[in-house]
């Protein structure tokens, strides 16, 4: 909302700089978003009177204007403005004048005729956006008068953001109340006096039928005759323009002016266009519609509220009037509406019609019913003064259930406890009274105030404490040192473990992703349609894409990978720590925290190797190595992997993950037919595991090992074994038979094919030995190797292969 400060000063007196006012308003809850200053008249521009006009010899729209502008000789100006006329007084920029934008007026020829200056429109002077013609000045203006002397001083306008719960501040008077409280001043309400025509009671001219007092708690109407439609006075037009409202004519401008002034939307009908001179506040019948003032034909739903005459809708209640009942140049009689509507009803109508207005903006935030009559009387005062209106006696006022002020009590001790300030009951009373909260009862310990109906946001003691501190000053609150409270039995070990997990994953080159917990059935079906009965469905989803709770993290992670591929990203390594949901055996939803990982691209290669082709088997080994590295970083015990298939993974390229004998998850390569849905053509590695087992074991403190002091020695062997034999089995047997000097075992080759029987494979290993006490001899190393080889040949169906 834009607030011209000269307008605000009309209702409240205060002495402060613009910066000081903005600071106080912001800390009281009215956030100042911008400060603007209207443009000043350019130096050198003067009033000039057009004394003669001739046609341009080489143009059908340009004119040669003779102008007088003071003691100087008359000038000839070439002008193409459509409103130029003999006797008109308009701004003149003589030679040498510099206009906004750096445009300097110089002597020049326009189609062969020399022009010695420029007659100006308002936009050319930087005063407004109006370029419809020359800017007219009062006809009695003395030529040569500087334009700066004819215009009001530049206006300062502050733009503020009003919170949704403070609809009472959406007006000049509303903001004035806040300013008065902040500066210990008083609010001056505008004049509402006018003369009524006793010979013409309003009931003889119009009637109101209020059929829904819930959606329209109050409806008032006044009738005005002998109305003259002319431009509003200049001061009113300037204020409206500064507040962001386009002036139209005196009647419409007065209704907008009162709305901005008091916060009560008004609507004016051409009285002679109302069938039966009757207002009916009702819900539309099926099939009824209305053409609103913006020229759009809109259908009306039965749940909406319409302002109708005896035959048809004439306005959408609280939102916008109809085109066929608006004020026009020929209007002589006006019916003025000042009403109150239920905020939720106006919000629903405005949203359904996709139509918003200054009126609906205020009604949605709440307009008190007792404001209607005061605003109607204020409009009557202005219409009589600036439109020459005759006011019919009285007003039609339908208000079945008036709302009364209500009491709220605030205790001194409670306020001091909440805010940490030392104050008194008298100080509380002063601030509450300054906010318009009158005292009902006061004791040494508490004060009860009467809440006016325009403050529907005040219903409890805490609200009054907030009101107190807004005016008292947030800056005046005593500083509070942070206090850490020790809670007995509290344990942040799970949080710290989760942080270690994140750090480990980031250290392994992954980036964290975060997705919503709800997703689409279709996405989950691509990975495992069989789990559909376990899914938790939302009762009122936002849409089909958010209809169920996720049973796995992998579908959304692969969707993230697909989005990266669509953006020409060829490599991605993502992880997510999140919650999954499924129906338990008893039909009750159960949630579980999981870790999900998705890999795309040459994750296990560095340097130039990244540009070499890779296969699904390569991705499988990289993902397996990633899991082993993560398990080592987390100091997990009893980690095992067993071949297994999953609905979403390629056959023979999947492993179930075990920790201490319990299955916790699965890793594998995504089926190509699933990946192709996102146009992913490279292998995608995926892993998902329950989170709790990964956090259960605290990270072990690693001890530093000194660099080896003695050299190592290696021995290689190649075993011919059945294809079903796994590397895990070989390691288990070798380590059990190995001496303490065995430092490492590395599988460096697996071969199947020529020179090997069917169903057999060759597995080649390198064993490294090192002693901590001395250099190993060949005999010692050979003895170690023979012992391990004998154990492998005895416990596996294996034979040695020559290397």
């Amino acid at each position: 909302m834009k607030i011209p400060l000269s307008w605000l000063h009309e209702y409240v007196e205060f002495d402060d700089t613009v910066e000081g006012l903005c600071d106080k308003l912001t800390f009281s809850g009215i956030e100042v978003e911008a400060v603007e200053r209207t443009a000043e008249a350019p130096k050198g521009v003067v009033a000039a009177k057009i004394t003669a006009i001739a046609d341009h010899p080489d143009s059908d729209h340009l004119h040669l204007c003779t102008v007088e502008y003071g003691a100087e000789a008359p000038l000839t100006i070439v002008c193409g403005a459509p409103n130029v006329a003999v006797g008109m007084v308009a701004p003149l920029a003589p030679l040498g004048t510099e206009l906004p934008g750096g445009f300097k007026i110089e002597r020049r020829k326009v189609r062969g005729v020399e022009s010695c200056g420029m007659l100006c429109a308002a936009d050319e002077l930087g005063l407004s956006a109006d370029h419809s013609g020359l800017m007219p000045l009062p006809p009695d203006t003395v030529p040569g008068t500087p334009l700066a002397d004819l215009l009001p001083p530049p206006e300062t306008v502050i733009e503020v953001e009003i919170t949704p719960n403070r609809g009472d501040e959406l007006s000049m008077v509303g903001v004035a109340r806040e300013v008065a409280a902040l500066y210990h001043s008083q609010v001056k309400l505008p004049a509402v006096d006018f003369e009524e025509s006793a010979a013409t009671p309003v009931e003889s001219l119009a009637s109101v039928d209020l059929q829904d007092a819930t959606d329209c708690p109050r409806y008032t109407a006044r009738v005005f005759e002998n109305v003259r439609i002319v431009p509003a006075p200049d001061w009113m037009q300037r204020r409206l323009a500064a507040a962001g409202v386009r002036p139209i004519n005196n009647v419409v401008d007065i209704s907008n002016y009162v709305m901005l002034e008091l916060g009560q939307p008004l609507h004016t009908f051409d009285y002679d266009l109302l069938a039966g001179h009757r207002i009916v506040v009702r819900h539309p019948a099926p099939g009824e519609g209305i053409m609103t003032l913006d020229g759009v034909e809109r259908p009306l739903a039965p749940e909406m509220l319409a302002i109708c005459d005896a035959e048809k809708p004439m306005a959408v209640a609280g939102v916008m009037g109809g085109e066929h009942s608006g004020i026009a140049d020929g209007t002589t009689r006006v019916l003025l509406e000042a009403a109150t509507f239920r905020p939720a009803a106006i919000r629903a109508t405005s949203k359904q019609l996709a139509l918003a207005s200054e009126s609906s903006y205020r009604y949605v935030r709440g307009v008190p019913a007792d404001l209607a009559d005061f605003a109607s009387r204020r409009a009557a005062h202005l219409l009589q003064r600036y439109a020459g209106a005759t006011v019919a006696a009285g007003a039609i006022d339908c208000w079945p259930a008036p709302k009364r002020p209500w009491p709220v009590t605030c205790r001194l001790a409670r306020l001091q406890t909440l805010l940490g300030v030392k104050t008194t009951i008298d100080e509380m009373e002063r601030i509450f009274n300054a906010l318009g909260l009158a005292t009902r009862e006061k004791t040494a310990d508490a004060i009860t105030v009467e809440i006016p109906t325009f403050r529907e946001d005040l219903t409890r003691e805490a609200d009054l404490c907030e009101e107190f501190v807004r005016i008292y000053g947030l800056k005046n609150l005593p500083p509070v040192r942070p206090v850490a409270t020790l809670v007995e039995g509290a344990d942040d070990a799970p949080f710290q473990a989760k942080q270690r997990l994140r750090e480990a994953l980031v250290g392994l080159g992954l980036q964290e992703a975060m997705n919503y917990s709800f997703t689409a059935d279709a996405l989950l079906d691509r990975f495992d349609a069989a789990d559909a009965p376990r899914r938790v469905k939302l009762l009122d989803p936002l849409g089909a894409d958010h209809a169920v709770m996720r049973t796995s993290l992998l579908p959304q992670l692969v969707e993230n990978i697909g989005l990266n591929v669509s953006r020409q990203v060829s490599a991605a390594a993502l992880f997510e720590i999140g919650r999954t949901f499924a129906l338990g055996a008893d039909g009750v939803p159960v949630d579980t925290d999981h870790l999900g990982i998705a890999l795309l691209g040459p994750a296990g290669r560095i340097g130039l190797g990244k540009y070499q082709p890779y296969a699904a088997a390569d991705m499988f080994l990289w993902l397996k190595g990633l899991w082993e590295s993560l398990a080592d970083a987390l100091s997990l015990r009893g980690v095992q992997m067993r071949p297994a298939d999953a609905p979403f993974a390629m056959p023979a390229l999947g492993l179930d993950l075990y920790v201490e004998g319990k299955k916790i998850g699965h890793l594998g390569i995504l089926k190509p037919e699933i990946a192709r849905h996102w146009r992913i053509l490279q292998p995608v590695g995926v892993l998902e595991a329950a989170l709790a087992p990964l956090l259960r074991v605290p990270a072990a403190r690693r001890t530093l090992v000194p660099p080896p002091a003695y050299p190592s020695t290696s021995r290689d062997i190649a075993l011919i074994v059945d294809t079903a034999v796994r590397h895990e089995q070989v390691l288990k047997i070798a380590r059990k038979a190995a001496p303490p000097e065995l430092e490492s075992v590395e599988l460096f080759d697996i071969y199947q094919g020529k020179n090997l029987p069917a169903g057999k494979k060759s597995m080649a290993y390198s064993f490294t030995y090192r002693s901590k006490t001395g250099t190993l001899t060949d005999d010692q190393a050979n003895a170690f190797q023979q012992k391990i080889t004998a154990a492998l040949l005895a416990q596996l169906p294996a034979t040695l292969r020559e290397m």
Side-chain angles (χ1 to χ4, degrees):
M1 187 176 75
K2 293 185 176 181
I3 303 172
L5 290 190
S6 65
W7 196 356
L8 182 65
H9 272 289
E10 191 169 296
Y11 311 111
V12 60
E13 293 181 1
F14 61 95
D15 184 16
D16 201 350
T17 63
V18 175
E19 293 75 13
L21 173 65
C22 293
D23 184 68
K24 280 184 174 292
L25 287 177
T26 297
F27 275 94
S28 74
I30 302 178
E31 182 181 356
V32 177
E33 294 188 325
V35 178
E36 302 174 357
R37 189 173 176 83
T38 58
E40 300 182 57
K43 293 181 179 179
V45 177
V46 298
K49 186 173 184 177
I50 301 171
T51 59
I53 298 176
D55 293 334
H56 193 291
D58 192 26
S59 173
D60 59 356
H61 70 281
L62 295 177
H63 304 284
L64 305 181
C65 301
T66 302
V67 301
E68 294 181 358
Y69 69 109
E72 302 290 337
L75 299 177
T76 299
I77 308 291
V78 179
C79 179
N83 64 336
V84 64
V86 174
M88 181 180 188
V89 180
L92 169 67
L95 296 176
T97 303
E98 186 171 328
L99 297 181
F103 181 66
K104 190 172 184 179
I105 304 301
E106 297 176 344
R107 190 186 302 272
R108 65 191 182 100
K109 289 187 176 182
V110 181
R111 293 196 179 185
V113 177
E114 189 173 66
S115 182
C116 300
M118 177 178 172
L119 293 169
C120 302
D123 68 328
E124 293 164 334
L125 299 171
L127 300 177
S128 76
D130 185 7
H131 192 68
S132 60
L134 298 181
M135 177 181 172
L137 296 175
D140 57 351
T141 303
V142 177
T145 304
L147 182 61
D149 295 345
L150 301 174
L151 298 180
E155 176 69 88
T156 299
V157 180
I158 62 174
E159 186 170 356
V160 299
E161 176 68 25
I162 304 297
T163 56
N165 66 317
R166 292 302 304 274
D168 63 291
E169 291 179 337
L170 287 171
S171 66
M172 299 298 164
V173 169
V175 174
R177 289 195 198 99
E178 292 293 309
V179 174
L182 292 168
Y183 288 93
H184 312 294
S185 185
Q186 298 293 323
V187 175
K188 296 177 289 185
L189 295 178
V192 294
D193 57 299
F194 56 92
E195 293 182 3
E196 294 182 329
S197 174
T200 313
V202 69
E203 290 82 1
S204 67
L205 298 175
S207 64
V208 174
D209 179 11
L210 178 58
Q211 296 186 2
D212 188 342
T214 299
D215 282 353
C216 179
R218 188 180 190 184
Y219 192 97
T220 72
R222 274 191 165 87
V223 176
F224 303 85
E225 297 182 298
N226 304 316
V227 176
R228 289 182 291 105
I229 304 299
V230 295
D234 289 342
W235 64 267
M236 183 178 291
Q237 292 190 49
R238 287 194 298 270
R239 284 186 174 179
L240 290 174
V245 177
R246 180 175 63 89
I248 298 174
N249 59 51
N250 55 344
V251 173
V252 175
D253 290 354
I254 285 170
S255 67
N256 286 331
Y257 185 86
V258 174
M259 177 184 68
L260 295 177
E261 182 180 50
L262 301 176
Q264 170 68 59
L266 303 175
H267 189 70
T268 51
F269 296 95
D270 188 319
Y271 173 83
D272 293 312
L273 297 179
L274 295 174
H277 299 155
R278 186 174 178 221
I279 291 291
V280 182
V281 184
R282 62 174 173 84
H283 293 278
E288 280 193 311
I290 185 174
M291 180 176 287
T292 47
L293 285 171
D294 56 359
V296 178
E297 186 70 39
R298 302 179 187 276
L300 298 177
E303 63 271 15
M304 298 177 182
L305 193 66
I307 309 301
C308 310
D309 61 11
E311 299 173 356
K312 59 189 179 298
M314 304 299 282
V316 183
V319 179
M320 187 174 287
E323 187 175 75
H324 301 302
S325 64
I327 304 302
D329 290 343
T331 299
T332 59
R333 296 198 287 181
V334 171
L335 185 143
L336 175 70
E337 167 198 289
T340 306
F341 301 107
R342 185 169 63 91
I346 304 304
R347 183 184 299 112
T349 299
S350 178
K351 184 176 181 181
Q352 191 170 346
L353 293 177
L355 182 63
S357 64
E358 288 288 340
S359 294
S360 66
Y361 183 75
R362 285 163 173 79
Y363 278 126
V364 164
R365 285 153 180 77
V367 175
D370 56 0
L371 181 58
D373 182 64
F374 186 84
S376 178
R377 289 188 284 128
R378 172 60 173 165
H381 169 87
L382 296 173
L383 285 168
Q384 190 168 74
R385 185 168 182 179
Y386 298 108
T390 300
V391 186
I396 300 173
D397 191 349
C398 301
W399 194 8
K403 187 172 184 178
R404 303 305 180 196
W406 56 95
V408 176
T409 300
C410 185
R411 295 163 292 170
L412 175 62
R414 180 58 175 162
L415 183 141
Q416 293 185 149
T417 300
L418 279 178
L419 304 180
V421 298
K422 294 295 184 182
T423 187
T424 64
I425 284 289
D426 291 339
E427 177 71 0
M428 292 169 61
E429 183 179 34
R430 184 192 66 79
I431 289 178
F432 291 153
N433 291 170
L435 287 167
L437 313 180
T439 304
R440 273 200 180 186
E441 182 181 350
K442 185 175 76 168
T443 66
D445 302 319
I447 183 172
T448 300
V449 295
E450 186 176 88
I451 309 298
T453 56
F454 62 81
R455 291 304 306 272
E456 292 195 358
D457 58 310
L458 304 181
T459 59
R460 54 183 181 165
E461 186 176 36
D463 296 333
L464 292 184
C465 293
E466 182 180 354
E467 290 300 292
F468 176 89
V469 74
R470 287 196 310 107
I471 307 304
Y472 179 80
L474 294 172
K475 294 180 178 180
N476 297 325
L477 293 180
V480 179
R481 293 181 179 179
V483 177
T485 303
L486 297 178
V487 180
E488 187 176 353
D491 183 12
D492 67 344
F495 172 80
Q496 297 295 340
K498 193 176 291 187
Q499 289 299 104
R500 286 195 299 270
L501 173 61
R502 281 193 171 91
E503 292 170 3
L505 289 164
V506 171
L508 290 169
L510 279 72
Q511 291 180 301
E512 186 169 9
M514 287 185 283
N515 292 290
Y516 289 119
S517 295
F518 34 79
T519 185
D521 267 313
L523 181 60
L524 298 179
D525 285 343
R526 291 190 196 106
F527 284 74
D528 187 3
D531 80 338
R534 300 175 55 246
R535 296 175 192 164
V536 180
K537 298 185 180 295
L538 300 181
L539 295 178
D540 187 18
L542 296 175
D545 291 342
H546 305 89
V548 295
M549 306 300 290
R550 60 185 179 185
T551 54
S552 168
L553 303 183
L554 297 183
Q556 290 168 309
L557 278 174
V558 174
E559 191 172 43
N560 299 151
I561 292 287
L563 181 61
N564 278 273
V565 169
S566 72
R567 302 294 193 271
Q568 289 77 50
V569 176
S570 59
L574 304 178
F575 77 91
E576 180 174 6
I577 297 172
R579 192 157 293 180
T580 63
F581 304 82
L583 296 175
D586 56 359
V588 176
V590 177
D591 56 87
T592 311
D593 289 329
H594 277 204
L595 165 68
I597 293 175
L599 301 181
L600 173 76
R605 290 182 178 163
I606 60 174
L608 295 177
K610 290 183 177 181
Y611 301 99
Q612 300 299 319
Y614 64 94
D618 297 314
M619 176 62 76
F620 176 76
L621 293 175
W622 296 335
L623 186 62
K624 177 175 173 289
L626 175 66
W627 166 249
E628 291 172 338
S629 299
L630 180 62
D632 181 62
L634 298 177
S635 301
L636 298 182
R637 295 188 291 267
V639 177
Q640 293 179 307
M641 291 172 280
R642 300 175 189 174
D645 291 333
F648 53 83
M650 294 176 62
L653 286 177
L655 295 171
D656 280 344
L657 309 178
Y658 290 81
V659 172
E660 295 182 342
K662 293 182 179 180
K663 179 183 173 181
I664 68 165
H666 183 89
L667 68 82
I669 304 301
L670 190 68
K671 287 181 177 178
E673 55 267 31
I674 298 177
R676 278 196 294 270
H677 177 80
W678 292 278
R679 299 183 180 180
I680 303 174
L681 304 180
Q682 303 97 328
V684 176
V686 292
L687 180 154
E688 184 164 11
L691 187 64
L694 307 183
L695 308 180
R696 189 178 305 143
V697 181
R701 185 179 297 275
R702 298 181 182 271
T703 56
L704 296 177
V705 178
Y710 301 99
S712 65
T713 183
S714 298
R715 297 291 185 271
D716 297 342
I717 65 169
L719 302 173
I720 299 175
V721 297
D722 294 339
T723 54
V725 173
R726 303 194 306 273
H727 172 59
E728 176 185 39
Q729 295 173 267
V730 177
L731 281 183
K732 185 175 181 181
I733 294 170
R735 291 196 182 280
K736 187 174 181 180
E741 287 80 3
L742 179 64
E743 187 175 71
S744 64
V745 182
E746 182 179 355
L747 173 65
F748 64 85
D749 182 62
I750 300 177
Y751 173 76
Q752 284 180 275
K754 188 178 178 180
N755 300 328
L756 286 181
K760 297 291 185 179
K761 64 181 177 182
S762 169
M763 302 176 70
Y765 288 87
S766 177
F767 292 81
T768 301
Y769 302 95
R770 191 194 305 270
S771 173
K772 296 179 181 180
T773 58
T775 301
L776 292 175
T777 65
D778 283 344
D779 290 340
Q780 289 174 308
N782 291 336
F784 297 154
Q785 187 65 32
Q786 289 173 2
K787 182 179 178 182
I788 293 174
T789 301
L792 291 170
L793 296 177
Q795 299 179 46
L796 289 174
T799 58
L800 290 177
R801 180 187 176 197
E802 293 186 3
M803 299 182 63

